[in-house]
Amino acid sequence: MRLGIFFVSILCYLLSFGQQEPELTIQLGHNQLIYDVAISHDGKLAASAAADRTVKVWDLATGKELKKLRIDIGYATSVDFSPTNSNLLIGGGDYDQGILVVWDYLKNEIIHDLKLHKEYAWKARYAPDGKTIACASFDGSYSIWNSSSGKLIKHNQLSDNILRGLDVDPNGEFFVFTQDAAMDEGPGVFQVSFSDGSIINSNPSAISDLEAREISVSKNGEYVFVGVWGGEIVVLNSSSFEVVSRFKAHNDVLSDIQAADNGTTIYTASHEKNILEWDFLKGKLINEYVGHKDRVYALDLHPNGSQLLSAGSFDKSLKLWEIKSGEIIRNFAGNVYPVMDLAISEDDRTLLVNSFDDYGGDVYAIKLNQYKKVKSLTPINQDFRSMTFDADSGIVYGATSDGLISSMSTKNNLESLTSFDFKAGTGSISMLPGTQDLLIQNLYQDPESYDYHSDYYRFNGTEYYTKVKNADYEHLTQVEFFSALDHFVFQSTWDENKLTKINGANNTIAYSIIDTLIFRPNIVVNKNGKRVAIAGGDDMIMYNGETGDMLFSISLDQSTEFD
């Protein structure tokens, strides 16, 4: 399964160069699905790894985000605290490169950046003594590392099949992982010695014909729990790999398993949006935890055994549960809606932020001279892909992907004023400086070549005419003006993070910034074209609009409430 997930987010400040840098901070939690979670061994911290390329450290007591690391390749798919709680082990990458990172999050220093695997280093865990690291990769190999020196101890290429789940024996004698055996009907589960990396057990007959997905080891090391594709749990004796019990846990893909300390209880997560508590020896359901709006990807138990941390995928949330009551104690994501567009007023004083997904949305205002969120506007029915803002009249124009363009008044809580139909495939809209006219992007696909192209139309309220036809530029998703009709900016976000300044008169490139360092960013330009800001995740970069030189970047990590 190739992972291509569109999601853009925010943080933006715009303005005058030379001003003191703002302290505006907005916490959004993760902006894409969360693959893994971990709780520190002292029970004070939590960590999460996500497809937005970030790993975040949270205060479990308050829910406050404390630290953040952005990896340089692909997605963060795995996270684990060292036994001393001083470092985090991070796995991830993409289909071209796997990465393992040891991060001292207290000092914010990278200790090791290990690039061996040819695809995702999907799951990685510390040995109980913290001296070694085990990793399972999508490239079909596993590796063992010295955690102090970063030196490779063992690398074994099993096959071309994906290695996915991984867990370690609490006694430090072995680790186990699953292989997507359905590809060539090879062994689905392996048990490997931590001391020399040799294979101890594999291919239990009971699951040889099934696709093993997730795996976990009991707290006493006696049992291995294997989750297979259809939602079944197979419990194995860790010494003999004989089946102790098996039962149907879910009716959909099983995504994680966590064992309790009592020796009889496990917790399972699945794509069914719920968490189930089981007596695994009897195959008896004990409790159900419901609260995520989408599939649950990852679980971890608090060391005190009374709390459970879970991560949802496309609802992008972290939740801490009280096991006894089954109730949610804390949500760790602030605004979980993706920010789809930003709009800056012509007087450079107000920024409008449009955020939504399948579960809801919000439009809110930020006063740039105060660097504060000052107003939350009533959510609207349309999912706007782009907005533009006229500060003098207080009118916001929003465009949906199916071509509906609406005008609303910010002076009356986004009361709808007018709307008109344009064309399916409407992308970005922008107001022409000094006018009330709109520039509207129409993104379409050539039926023969299947290439994407963009036409731009000027709309004066009564009629359209084509301003620029960009047959040479594909995959454009946003346009903003520099000044009058002389220049505008577009960004290519599907193939690469590109920011380009175009001369609108002759359709030539003034400059192009190939790698903006922000994954699929939003863009906003001030009215004189001297500043261009792009925002994504919790980061913002400011460029000189005339030269394309980067002026500064800021990372925004704390939550800001409305005044």
Side-chain angles (χ1 to χ4, degrees):
M1 178 180 65
R2 293 295 190 256
L3 304 174
I5 299 176
F6 173 81
F7 197 89
V8 287
S9 192
I10 168 180
L11 276 195
C12 194
Y13 128 92
L14 243 255
L15 296 82
S16 299
F17 184 67
Q19 278 188 327
Q20 183 178 355
E21 292 187 15
E23 295 182 358
L24 166 65
T25 55
I26 303 172
Q27 177 174 303
L28 294 179
H30 284 287
N31 302 311
Q32 295 190 34
L33 65 87
I34 301 168
Y35 283 114
D36 200 13
V37 293
I39 296 178
S40 61
H41 299 278
D42 59 7
K44 295 180 180 180
L45 303 174
S48 51
D52 60 6
R53 297 187 178 183
T54 66
V55 172
K56 298 192 175 190
V57 180
W58 309 82
D59 186 317
L60 265 184
T62 66
K64 181 181 179 181
E65 181 184 313
L66 302 176
K67 298 282 186 178
K68 181 188 73 173
L69 176 70
R70 185 179 297 277
I71 64 174
D72 60 355
I73 297 175
Y75 304 150
T77 60
S78 177
V79 64
D80 191 29
F81 280 95
S82 64
T84 60
N85 298 315
S86 58
N87 297 329
L88 277 175
L89 173 62
I90 300 162
D94 56 23
Y95 281 99
D96 296 316
Q97 178 72 69
I99 62 169
L100 278 175
V101 173
V102 178
W103 176 37
D104 185 334
Y105 60 89
L106 298 174
K107 298 179 180 179
N108 199 25
E109 295 179 357
I110 300 296
I111 306 301
H112 299 301
D113 186 0
L114 309 172
K115 293 181 173 69
L116 167 72
H117 293 286
K118 298 176 182 179
E119 295 187 48
Y120 289 96
W122 189 258
K123 193 63 69 72
R125 293 291 185 260
Y126 278 104
D129 61 6
K131 295 180 180 180
T132 51
I133 292 167
C135 175
S137 170
F138 267 27
D139 67 8
S141 71
Y142 66 87
S143 57
I144 304 175
W145 305 78
N146 183 298
S147 61
S148 298
S149 66
K151 291 183 178 181
L152 180 66
I153 298 173
K154 178 76 173 182
H155 180 225
N156 188 6
Q157 185 73 46
L158 292 178
S159 69
D160 293 331
N161 291 357
I162 290 172
L163 307 188
R164 190 181 302 271
L166 184 145
D167 200 13
V168 300
D169 166 33
N171 301 312
E173 295 180 3
F174 63 86
F175 61 94
V176 289
F177 56 83
T178 61
Q179 176 179 263
D180 284 6
M183 295 182 180
D184 65 1
E185 298 182 356
V189 179
F190 290 83
Q191 183 184 41
V192 176
S193 169
F194 248 127
S195 61
D196 60 8
S198 63
I199 296 174
I200 303 171
N201 278 309
S202 67
N203 197 20
S205 58
I207 60 172
S208 60
D209 60 337
L210 303 172
E211 184 175 355
R213 298 280 295 185
E214 300 301 325
I215 197 162
S216 182
V217 182
S218 64
K219 299 301 182 183
N220 59 9
E222 185 177 353
Y223 301 105
V224 174
F225 309 100
V226 183
V228 298
W229 179 262
E232 188 176 13
I233 297 288
V234 179
V235 183
L236 306 175
N237 181 287
S238 64
S239 298
S240 64
F241 255 35
E242 294 180 353
V243 175
V244 176
S245 69
R246 60 187 304 166
F247 56 92
K248 184 78 168 180
H250 295 272
N251 294 314
D252 206 334
V253 177
L254 197 148
S255 49
D256 203 4
I257 309 167
Q258 285 292 319
D261 286 332
N262 61 11
T264 60
T265 302
I266 58 171
Y267 301 88
T268 61
S270 82
H271 289 195
E272 293 177 307
K273 308 177 186 179
N274 61 354
I275 303 163
L276 299 180
E277 180 181 354
W278 298 91
D279 181 324
F280 65 82
L281 293 176
K282 299 178 180 178
K284 180 181 178 181
L285 180 64
I286 299 173
N287 200 3
E288 181 180 16
Y289 303 82
V290 178
H292 283 286
K293 295 179 180 179
D294 209 301
R295 63 193 71 173
V296 185
Y297 257 38
L299 302 172
D300 198 18
L301 277 167
H302 195 284
N304 64 19
S306 65
Q307 297 172 354
L308 181 68
L309 182 67
S310 64
S313 59
F314 295 106
D315 73 3
K316 299 165 288 293
S317 67
L318 287 168
K319 299 182 186 298
L320 186 65
W321 304 80
E322 183 181 61
I323 291 176
K324 185 176 181 180
S325 65
E327 296 181 353
I328 297 171
I329 302 172
R330 182 163 293 105
N331 283 293
F332 288 82
N335 175 11
V336 299
Y337 305 128
V339 174
M340 301 306 295
D341 197 32
L342 311 173
I344 183 73
S345 64
E346 288 191 23
D347 60 7
D348 288 344
R349 293 181 179 179
T350 306
L351 177 71
L352 284 187
V353 180
N354 176 35
S355 61
F356 67 87
D357 62 13
D358 292 339
Y359 307 112
D362 192 14
V363 178
Y364 55 86
I366 294 175
K367 285 296 183 184
L368 294 173
N369 58 343
Q370 302 172 17
Y371 312 119
K372 292 181 178 180
K373 292 167 68 175
V374 295
K375 190 176 185 181
S376 181
L377 306 172
T378 302
I380 49 184
N381 293 328
Q382 290 85 13
D383 294 340
F384 289 138
R385 260 49 182 179
S386 182
M387 298 187 305
T388 188
F389 184 21
D390 178 21
D392 294 333
S393 64
I395 295 176
V396 176
Y397 294 90
T400 65
S401 59
D402 59 3
L404 181 67
I405 298 177
S406 302
S407 62
M408 300 150 290
S409 173
T410 60
K411 297 179 179 179
N412 194 17
N413 210 39
L414 285 190
E415 176 188 4
S416 179
L417 300 177
T418 60
S419 63
F420 53 91
D421 288 326
F422 178 59
K423 293 183 177 182
T426 300
S428 175
I429 60 172
S430 181
M431 184 167 289
L432 297 175
T435 76
Q436 294 296 310
D437 293 357
L438 298 176
L439 187 79
I440 306 170
Q441 177 203 32
N442 178 233
L443 179 68
Y444 63 94
Q445 188 177 33
D446 187 301
E448 295 183 359
S449 67
Y450 298 102
D451 292 334
Y452 283 90
H453 303 287
S454 288
D455 290 341
Y456 292 95
Y457 294 82
R458 181 170 176 172
F459 179 62
N460 62 12
T462 58
E463 62 179 343
Y464 304 96
Y465 66 89
T466 302
K467 170 58 188 172
V468 178
K469 181 178 176 62
N470 279 307
D472 296 332
Y473 305 113
E474 302 179 5
H475 300 182
L476 314 184
T477 63
Q478 190 172 355
V479 59
E480 292 289 344
F481 279 102
F482 272 129
S483 58
L485 296 179
D486 294 331
H487 298 88
F488 62 89
V489 171
F490 71 81
Q491 61 182 8
S492 173
T493 63
W494 293 353
D495 296 332
E496 54 188 339
N497 302 330
K498 182 192 292 183
L499 177 70
T500 304
K501 179 179 178 180
I502 296 292
N503 185 305
N506 56 23
N507 209 27
T508 59
I509 295 176
Y511 61 75
S512 187
I513 304 168
I514 300 300
D515 188 357
T516 65
L517 303 179
I518 290 182
F519 183 63
R520 293 176 175 173
N522 277 289
I523 177 176
V524 65
V525 183
N526 74 328
K527 63 180 180 180
N528 61 18
K530 293 184 178 181
R531 302 287 177 265
V532 182
I534 62 172
D538 295 327
D539 298 310
M540 190 276 292
I541 300 177
M542 184 70 70
Y543 292 97
N544 183 311
E546 296 176 338
T547 65
D549 296 330
M550 188 175 78
L551 301 176
F552 60 85
S553 63
I554 53 178
S555 182
L556 307 146
D557 297 323
Q558 298 175 354
S559 61
T560 298
E561 300 297 330
F562 290 107
D563 286 351

